[in-house]
Amino acid sequence: MNISLRGYGENVATFQVSGNVTAGMPVKISANGTVSPCAAKDKFCGVALSVRGGYAAVQTAGYMQAPYAGTKPTVGYQTINADGTGKVQTEASGRLLLVTDVDDPAGTCGILLA
């Protein structure tokens, strides 16, 4: 891609962690101020950027790149949820998000979180 959307509208919040959260995975709110890994078909609140000492920096808005599973997403508005293994997938249920780019060889897609 000849342009970069990195940094566009990024918002990051710190949450406590429950479960095995790792950087790069979609996460969900599981308790007050706490995130945990998503199960298959969960709607995710954001993506963990880093995890340290029981806390995670979670990107909740802006441009992000994520690995995808299953059917290759297409650019435009897609319904997306978590696949349960740390990736995102297009499904009938989930969040309606804007897919801005797809890198098929890398297995990643660019998404604008709202």
Side-chain angles (χ1 to χ4, degrees), residues 40-54:
K41 298 189 179 186
D42 278 347
K43 292 180 183 177
F44 56 95
C45 69
V47 173
L49 298 178
S50 65
V51 180
R52 183 176 50 191

Side-chain angles (χ1 to χ4, degrees), residues 12-26:
V12 178
T14 302
F15 292 90
Q16 287 184 304
V17 170
S18 174
N20 189 25
V21 173
T22 59
M25 75 170 18

Side-chain angles (χ1 to χ4, degrees), residues 13-21 26-38 45-46 48 51 54-58 60:
T14 302
F15 292 90
Q16 287 184 304
V17 170
S18 174
N20 189 25
V21 173
V27 294
K28 64 183 178 183
I29 300 289
S30 56
N32 290 341
T34 305
V35 294
S36 62
C38 290
C45 69
V51 180
Y55 294 90
V58 178
T60 59

Side-chain angles (χ1 to χ4, degrees), residues 24-26 38-42 44 66-70 80-89 106-107:
M25 75 170 18
C38 290
K41 298 189 179 186
D42 278 347
F44 56 95
Y68 66 84
I80 298 175
N81 61 32
D83 82 332
T85 69
K87 298 179 180 181
V88 298
Q89 62 185 354

Side-chain angles (χ1 to χ4, degrees), residues 5 72-80 90 95-102 109-113:
L5 295 174
K72 175 183 162 185
T74 57
V75 295
Y77 283 95
Q78 301 289 319
T79 305
I80 298 175
T90 56
R95 296 177 64 186
L96 185 62
L97 298 171
L98 180 60
V99 176
T100 59
D101 55 276
V102 179
C109 60
I111 299 170
L112 288 181
L113 295 173

